[in-house]
Amino acid sequence: MPDQAIAQLLTQRHPEWRALHDDWDFLQASYEGGRDYIEQNIFAHSPRETEMDFKRRKTKAVYPNYVHSVVKTYRNHVFKHPEGIVRDVGDDEYQAWLVDVTRREDSANAFWSEVSAMCLLYGTTYVLVDMPRAPMSEGTPYTLSEADRREENIVPYLVHVLPQNVVDWALGEDGGYKWVRICETYQDDRNPMASRTTTTRYRVWTRIGWLLVNEQGDVLAQGEHALGIVPLVPVIYESSTRWEMSGTSFMYDFARMNRMVANSVSLRDRFLADSALQILAMQIGYAGTADDTPGPQVLKQGGVLEYPEGVQHAPAFIGPDPSVVQHMMEHIRQLVTEMYRLAMLADREGKVQGDPQSGTAKRMDFEETSAALAAFADVLETAEMKATRLWFRWLKRGWDPDWRIDYPDQFNVRALEDDLTAAMDVRALYGSLAPRFAAE
């Protein structure tokens, strides 16, 4: 097939990817925060707000990033006690590999911890189980003996692939992937004395091999494998009734409410700044033109507004109605309360943080949250089991049915509630400057 035809095929995107890509980008921005988030998600209030005022407001805006805090809090409670995750696999090489599963010195717990965070955020993320290429001899790979492979420590490794990068795929009748196309950004910085170049490449996996091509359709590398399946494991938080391979995000509604909070806080700060400038209205002289016609009123130095002679009105300070900011504060409080409900998986008609609640209702809330955490742990357990089976498949080894990977089933929901409350309170107090909570 001509290169131009391949290049044209590379621009195709799966319908699910096209439908969800903008949502994924929004969730990523909500999680990472920063100036880019403010530029894209702080909106003009109304046509009455001038472009200059809007730019000034965005310059001063902050993003209280509740999304990051909640995702990390949930992740930490699954991985809070690493010894609670059992990897009962009787293979010495596998046990030694768990110290570095990515070839970048990431342990199994560190890798799956990050996967869990992105699974909560996007609803779907992916784990690729790849094998290093065999050493080359005169341009062609040569076959290693098992002893040489062990001596060179050539073992499969894990790659975390975000949903934005899995751009197209096809499913077989068995429900598994027939092929998958993954978009990669490649930086060529091998020469310290040359300019860095950044290019886009595509890696295509099939059930029998793989292909690496650039945007122009040139084949850069290719190879075969004997797995019989595509070595990509989707990690889905909760199955969608609409999409085949894309799950439902735990954080989507939460992130949109977090954006409402950021915009409300920005408007509140603008209102407070305007209210702080007191304007004195008093009779000093007629602010007219030379022909005695009314002219535009301009604030004099010190914030004084003149009105014509003959108007019977005592001097007074004027300004916006202070009750408006009270309504803003109440609106923000209600949004944060609703976000807390979403984070705790509580019924929308259930408790409000700080409201009295019966023991039965409290127990039901705790049971619901504990069950959701256990279900999420099962998702991670299943995904890691699939990835581990692929690891052994790459090495052409069998799988002992007695081997198991087991994640915790019981969680301290009281501690989770306390941690979520603390995280959200700190965000409310410090906004974008709030510290990030690290796993213990």
Side-chain angles (χ1 to χ4, degrees):
M1 182 177 293
D3 292 350
Q4 186 175 358
I6 295 178
Q8 181 64 30
L9 287 174
L10 294 176
T11 64
Q12 294 182 4
R13 297 294 183 263
H14 195 279
E16 283 188 28
W17 186 94
R18 290 200 304 268
L20 296 172
H21 180 261
D22 289 345
D23 289 345
W24 291 333
D25 283 348
F26 166 65
L27 287 166
Q28 184 179 47
S30 300
Y31 181 78
E32 295 182 352
R35 176 51 54 182
D36 288 343
Y37 179 91
I38 291 174
E39 289 296 328
Q40 297 169 10
N41 292 282
I42 297 297
F43 305 130
H45 176 51
S46 71
R48 292 185 301 171
E49 183 175 39
T50 67
E51 183 67 23
M52 182 179 297
D53 287 341
F54 177 51
K55 288 182 178 180
R56 186 182 299 114
R57 182 161 64 84
K58 282 207 300 186
T59 300
K60 296 168 57 179
V62 296
Y63 170 51
N65 193 343
Y66 293 97
V67 171
H68 189 280
S69 298
V70 170
V71 167
K72 291 299 187 182
T73 300
Y74 268 91
R75 181 209 67 177
N76 291 351
H77 273 264
V78 175
F79 291 88
K80 191 170 187 177
H81 302 290
E83 66 278 4
I85 299 176
V86 178
R87 297 181 175 91
D88 186 10
V89 177
D91 185 278
D92 292 341
E93 188 174 17
Y94 167 79
Q95 294 295 334
W97 170 75
L98 292 175
V99 178
D100 180 9
V101 300
T102 62
R103 300 197 301 172
R104 296 182 178 184
E105 301 183 352
D106 295 315
S107 69
N109 279 347
F111 175 82
W112 288 103
S113 173
E114 187 58 30
V115 168
S116 72
M118 296 301 99
C119 181
L120 285 168
L121 181 67
Y122 294 112
T124 306
T125 193
Y126 299 87
V127 175
L128 177 69
V129 187
D130 201 356
M131 186 73 173
R133 306 285 80 81
M136 305 294 288
S137 176
E138 297 182 356
T140 59
Y142 62 86
T143 303
L144 289 174
S145 67
E146 179 65 10
D148 289 339
R149 184 196 64 76
R150 285 178 176 267
E151 183 177 353
E152 296 291 335
N153 193 31
I154 299 177
V155 293
Y157 62 97
L158 306 181
V159 180
H160 184 195
V161 184
L162 295 180
Q164 294 99 315
N165 298 105
V166 181
V167 296
D168 203 2
W169 62 87
L171 302 179
E173 294 181 358
D174 57 0
Y177 290 116
K178 287 197 299 186
W179 57 266
V180 170
R181 184 162 69 247
I182 299 173
C183 180
E184 303 175 351
T185 299
Y186 174 71
Q187 286 192 351
D188 187 355
D189 53 5
R190 292 169 293 180
N191 186 350
M193 305 306 294
S195 298
R196 176 184 289 106
T197 59
T198 301
T199 58
T200 299
R201 309 188 307 188
Y202 294 90
R203 196 175 298 269
V204 181
W205 285 91
T206 71
R207 296 184 177 187
I208 61 173
W210 59 273
L211 188 71
L212 182 64
V213 296
N214 60 19
E215 287 183 290
Q216 291 72 40
D218 301 320
V219 177
L220 305 177
Q222 58 185 323
E224 298 178 352
H225 64 75
L227 300 175
I229 60 175
V230 174
L232 185 71
V233 179
V235 188
I236 299 176
Y237 170 70
E238 187 176 89
S239 297
S240 170
T241 58
R242 184 179 180 186
W243 310 114
E244 280 188 302
M245 301 304 295
S246 301
T248 302
S249 169
F250 175 62
M251 298 303 298
Y252 183 72
D253 291 334
F254 189 97
R256 289 178 64 88
M257 295 186 71
N258 201 159
R259 181 168 64 184
M260 292 175 66
V261 170
N263 278 274
S264 296
V265 169
S266 177
L267 290 172
R268 180 199 64 188
D269 292 346
R270 163 72 189 281
F271 186 89
L272 289 173
D274 290 346
S275 300
L277 176 60
Q278 293 293 321
I279 301 174
L280 177 60
M282 62 182 299
Q283 180 177 312
I284 296 180
Y286 184 57
T289 59
D291 59 357
D292 243 9
T293 58
Q297 293 291 304
V298 180
L299 290 181
K300 306 297 184 181
Q301 186 175 6
V304 177
L305 183 65
E306 302 177 8
Y307 55 83
E309 297 180 5
V311 176
Q312 301 299 317
H313 194 290
F317 285 99
I318 61 174
D321 184 357
S323 65
V324 175
V325 77
Q326 296 174 357
H327 292 306
M328 289 181 176
M329 296 289 290
E330 177 61 19
H331 176 62
I332 294 170
R333 189 195 71 81
Q334 291 176 354
L335 286 173
V336 173
T337 297
E338 187 64 17
M339 289 166 62
Y340 179 85
R341 282 181 180 167
L342 290 175
M344 282 302 296
L345 306 174
D347 191 320
R348 288 178 181 271
E349 300 300 325
K351 71 181 181 66
V352 177
Q353 186 179 7
D355 287 353
Q357 189 179 27
S358 70
T360 301
K362 193 74 170 177
R363 185 176 66 254
M364 291 178 64
D365 276 352
F366 277 16
E367 289 175 355
E368 182 181 359
T369 304
S370 180
L373 277 170
F376 178 51
D378 286 343
V379 167
L380 299 173
E381 178 183 306
T382 301
E384 184 171 350
M385 180 70 79
K386 290 180 179 180
T388 304
R389 286 176 177 267
L390 277 168
W391 191 90
F392 280 91
R393 205 161 178 165
W394 270 112
L395 297 177
K396 301 179 181 179
R397 296 184 196 166
W399 177 266
D400 191 326
D402 292 332
W403 291 347
R404 67 189 180 97
I405 294 175
D406 186 40
Y407 276 63
D409 296 319
Q410 301 294 326
F411 297 93
N412 186 345
V413 180
R414 169 65 72 181
L416 173 64
E417 183 181 44
D418 291 344
D419 288 351
L420 281 172
T421 302
M424 296 185 72
D425 286 348
V426 170
R427 284 294 176 198
L429 182 61
Y430 291 102
S432 62
L433 301 179
R436 293 183 174 181
F437 300 95
E440 295 183 3

